[in-house]
Amino acid sequence: MRVSTVILPVHRWADGGRELWRRAEELGFHAAYTYDHLSWRSFRDGPWFGAVPTLTAAAAATSRLRLGTLVTSPNFRHPVTLAKELISLDDISGGRVTLGIGAGGSGFDATALLRGAEEAWTPRERADRFGEFVELLDRLLTHDVVSHEGGYYSAREVRNIPGCAQRPRLPFAVAATGPRGMRLAARYGQAWVTTGDPKLFETGTPADSLAAIGCQIERLGKACADTGRDADEPHKILLTGFTPDGTRPLSSVDAFVDFAGEHARLGIDEIVLHWPIADSVFAADPGVFEKIATEGAERVAAL
């Protein structure tokens, strides 16, 4: 099992931001991700920087650490401009980028670009947009010239030369729980991302959460089988902090090892931990966090 972190883009680069990404590499994390939002929940009224510029700076500040988003969505992204940014980022990083991608939520990002009386997308429209978004982005990152006229997105003789440093393109980590998203993950994803079952966060138990994630992995396996793909092929990532025992993995090294072992037995390949932020929902003891990144990661490496 791999251990990674997610560093929220809330720090000024010259005032500690750079050092966090360098420290993530020093601690030996497999990857460091960041959220791709315009703002997020309880951080909405504070500093929040763009994901792609942050990752570009992180690429220049590190040399081995994989970098990525958890997750990018169609809420305020267009496949054509995103593809150009990703190709540039993959080149600058020397091929160390993973694109975490999802349908997006219904929060602030989902309505920031809407006009006048436009209403927020329905779940069906969100799923429709996501399907077209992923398919077009895949084409843009794997072909020199792409034209597309779809229900939501257009591309007219768009050129993306020389393409990604990683071939045939940088990997997608598709966040999905529903049947349509699972099919996209099975078809396009080099990895699949879950945060667990959001319905269980407040009222569920850790056992409920494990059962739900197990069922999600089974559904992913069926989607893979339906597309003729080996169910073990997509890398399976758990972004922690959103399960009923969300604070447990960061409470101690032993607690983390137990938590990781339970999820490894389900089939999870990578655990992602939020870098601690004081006085926030992601507050944790920095010393314990660093021990988890070193001692804990060493203990779960063979899982």
Side-chain angles (χ1 to χ4, degrees):
M1 173 175 279
R2 295 169 175 170
V3 181
S4 298
T5 189
V6 57
I7 301 173
L8 298 194
V10 298
H11 307 278
R12 288 189 179 277
W13 193 250
D15 189 23
R18 178 192 295 108
E19 297 313 311
L20 290 183
W21 292 85
R22 287 178 171 170
R23 185 59 177 157
E25 182 166 82
E26 291 172 356
L27 289 171
F29 282 112
H30 166 68
Y33 304 95
T34 198
Y35 286 11
D36 189 12
H37 284 280
L38 297 176
S39 65
W40 191 81
R41 299 186 188 180
S42 57
F43 296 91
R44 181 172 175 175
D45 294 321
W48 190 276
F49 297 97
V52 173
T54 296
L55 291 172
T56 303
T62 60
S63 60
R64 303 180 305 278
L65 186 71
R66 284 203 67 82
L67 308 165
T69 56
L70 280 184
V71 293
T72 295
S73 80
N75 278 354
F76 62 94
R77 295 290 188 184
H78 189 287
V80 169
T81 51
L82 178 61
K84 185 65 71 174
E85 291 180 345
L86 290 171
I87 287 171
S88 303
L89 177 57
D90 203 39
D91 178 69
I92 292 166
S93 70
R96 291 186 283 135
V97 176
T98 295
L99 177 70
I101 188 169
S106 57
F108 171 72
D109 297 280
T111 57
L113 300 185
L114 298 185
R115 298 180 179 179
E118 281 185 283
E119 296 183 358
W121 303 336
T122 65
R124 179 182 292 275
E125 182 181 0
R126 188 175 298 282
D128 289 342
R129 285 179 179 270
F130 186 45
E132 186 178 338
F133 190 97
V134 173
E135 180 181 1
L136 177 54
L137 188 60
D138 173 73
R139 289 176 58 202
L140 289 163
L141 293 175
T142 54
H143 293 78
D144 288 346
V145 183
V146 172
S147 291
H148 172 83
E149 289 292 338
Y152 300 102
Y153 303 105
S154 298
R156 183 177 298 176
E157 294 188 15
V158 173
R159 283 160 171 76
N160 280 316
I161 300 169
C164 294
Q166 300 173 87
R167 293 293 181 171
R169 60 158 166 76
L170 55 81
F172 289 178
V174 180
T177 55
R180 295 178 68 181
M182 289 292 194
R183 287 195 293 271
L184 287 173
R187 182 174 179 184
Y188 295 103
Q190 285 63 56
W192 165 77
V193 182
T194 184
T195 58
D197 186 340
K199 296 190 295 294
L200 299 175
F201 179 66
E202 293 185 352
T203 59
T205 67
D208 293 335
S209 180
L210 285 168
I213 293 172
C215 288
Q216 290 174 355
I217 292 174
E218 289 178 4
R219 293 199 298 272
L220 175 65
K222 184 179 184 305
C224 287
D226 290 343
T227 61
R229 189 177 183 190
D230 189 327
D232 292 332
E233 187 177 338
H235 187 70
K236 299 166 183 67
I237 302 171
L238 172 65
L239 175 59
T240 64
F242 303 100
T243 58
D245 52 355
T247 61
R248 175 183 160 211
L250 292 178
S251 61
S252 71
V253 173
D254 287 342
F256 167 74
V257 172
D258 288 344
F259 180 90
E262 291 168 351
H263 289 84
R265 287 188 284 275
L266 294 177
I268 295 294
D269 303 298
E270 181 178 346
I271 294 280
V272 183
L273 305 170
H274 285 86
W275 197 282
I277 302 175
D279 302 319
S280 79
V281 293
F282 300 122
D285 185 318
V288 173
F289 178 80
E290 293 209 355
K291 287 184 178 180
I292 288 170
T294 53
E295 299 172 21
E298 184 177 350
R299 288 171 61 181
V300 304
L303 296 177

